[in-house]
Amino acid sequence: MAYTNSELTNLEGILENWRTERIPVTIANRTRRIYGLVAGVYPVSSYLFHAKAHRIALDFANIQDGTKVLEVAVGSGEMFSHIAKRNAKGLNVGVDISPEMAAVTLRRIQREHPSVDCTIEASDARAMPFRDQTFDSVMCCYLLELLASNDIVRTLNEVRRVLKPGGTFTLIMIGQNREYFNRAYRVASKLVPAFWGQQMDRRGLELLEACGFENVREHTVTQTLYPSRIVLARRHS
Ligand SMILES: C[S@@+](CC[C@H](N)C(=O)[O-])C[C@H]1O[C@@H](n2cnc3c(N)ncnc32)[C@H](O)[C@@H]1O
């Protein structure tokens, strides 16, 4: 995406203000390894902490059957399975940086939805192997926290590139509205940053807007003490 000078200044301002950052440089290789190791047990965490937010995000996305949908960072595929059910006549594509996660999840999805067109690739959200303006909707849950700030901008630009103008981008970020949770998260994230990442607060929304998305709707929900912020955004044409 080409930025105008004032857009660039705005983007640099947001990044500059990100002073508390705990992921100053990319840690994608460590993240790939750690999620590969937990691929077999990750569904438990998704079930305990993410299921409620997934359902709200699905409602926000309002996926139409027969369309082209991309999920970025599919993990163990709980959301991807819902997408495949709603878009049974369409094309469902997932990516995950961990080849183990992508393979385990694809096998499960093919068992659950044998007649639906589904594919999951081991690839990096920062440089995705798709043509410009391919997808009607893109979904992405709990990924941005794991990325360094420059990588968040690269990822948002990639999502914008592969999304059709006017297409929707639904994402879930970890909420930051509970102090007990924020404190526990800071400790966890210091111990294993490649697994926990960093909370985004409002900066996620600011970056979304700076990268060419209009924020349409948002909602916060808590499950098992774990807060999630669900955001529906639209790509400017
Ligand atoms: C916290 S899990 C979330 C999984 C799933 N989206 C969910 O809602 O439960 C983060 C996932 O992002 C993947 N991931 C991390 N960095 C990535 C990147 N740069 N590109 C693609 N996937 C990435 C990890 O392998 C992991 O499966």
Side-chain angles (χ1 to χ4, degrees):
M1 173 181 171
Y3 288 102
T4 63
N5 282 346
S6 78
E7 282 169 339
L8 259 184
T9 312
N10 185 20
L11 204 50
E12 278 162 8
I14 297 169
L15 295 178
E16 179 67 33
N17 286 333
W18 205 318
R19 292 192 196 288
T20 56
E21 164 156 63
R22 281 178 295 279
I23 310 184
V25 290
T26 183
I27 50 169
N29 286 336
R30 275 151 67 191
T31 302
R32 180 190 301 118
R33 277 198 300 275
I34 208 159
Y35 276 94
L37 288 174
V38 300
V41 293
Y42 197 76
V44 179
S45 147
S46 185
Y47 174 78
L48 284 178
F49 304 116
H50 301 165
K52 255 187 181 177
H54 281 164
R55 279 197 294 276
I56 296 168
L58 257 183
D59 283 349
F60 273 21
N62 191 23
I63 289 166
Q64 302 298 306
D65 200 0
T67 56
K68 291 185 180 167
V69 182
L70 168 68
E71 187 186 358
V72 180
V74 288
S76 45
E78 288 70 24
M79 172 61 98
F80 197 77
S81 182
H82 291 302
I83 295 172
K85 210 179 283 170
R86 295 210 175 185
N87 192 29
K89 295 194 204 112
L91 173 68
N92 305 287
V93 180
V95 298
D96 198 285
I97 199 170
S98 152
E100 292 85 357
M101 197 68 108
V104 168
T105 301
L106 181 60
R107 276 199 297 276
R108 203 190 99 214
I109 294 290
Q110 285 173 334
R111 266 199 317 273
E112 288 176 3
H113 308 279
S115 57
V116 182
D117 194 352
C118 292
T119 157
I120 298 179
E121 308 204 2
S123 83
D124 191 327
R126 297 171 299 169
M128 294 189 278
F130 310 118
R131 288 170 194 264
D132 295 1
Q133 305 187 6
T134 300
F135 297 98
D136 300 287
S137 357
V138 176
M139 305 199 69
C140 177
C141 312
Y142 308 103
L143 168 67
L144 300 188
E145 290 80 4
L146 298 173
L147 306 176
S149 51
N150 288 343
D151 289 338
I152 295 176
V153 173
R154 284 175 67 188
T155 298
L156 293 177
N157 281 335
E158 271 299 87
V159 169
R160 187 177 189 283
R161 182 183 68 75
V162 301
L163 195 53
K164 293 180 183 170
T168 58
F169 179 34
T170 313
L171 72 160
I172 307 180
M173 292 176 275
I174 295 166
Q176 202 162 357
N177 54 329
R178 312 266 166 172
E179 202 33 56
Y180 65 83
F181 179 82
N182 298 345
R183 272 203 295 269
Y185 203 93
R186 274 197 291 275
V187 174
S189 130
K190 231 182 197 149
L191 292 174
V192 202
F195 183 77
W196 293 103
Q198 61 187 340
Q199 286 170 294
M200 304 277 301
D201 200 10
R202 304 294 303 175
R203 284 166 300 206
L205 299 178
E206 288 171 15
L207 285 175
L208 257 183
E209 283 182 17
C211 291
F213 293 94
E214 173 197 1
N215 179 4
V216 179
R217 229 174 137 185
E218 66 175 281
H219 184 78
T220 302
V221 73
T222 301
Q223 180 182 0
T224 328
L225 304 178
Y226 184 108
S228 297
R229 173 184 285 151
I230 304 108
V231 177
L232 172 67
R234 194 175 297 283
R235 188 198 134 146
H236 287 304
S237 2

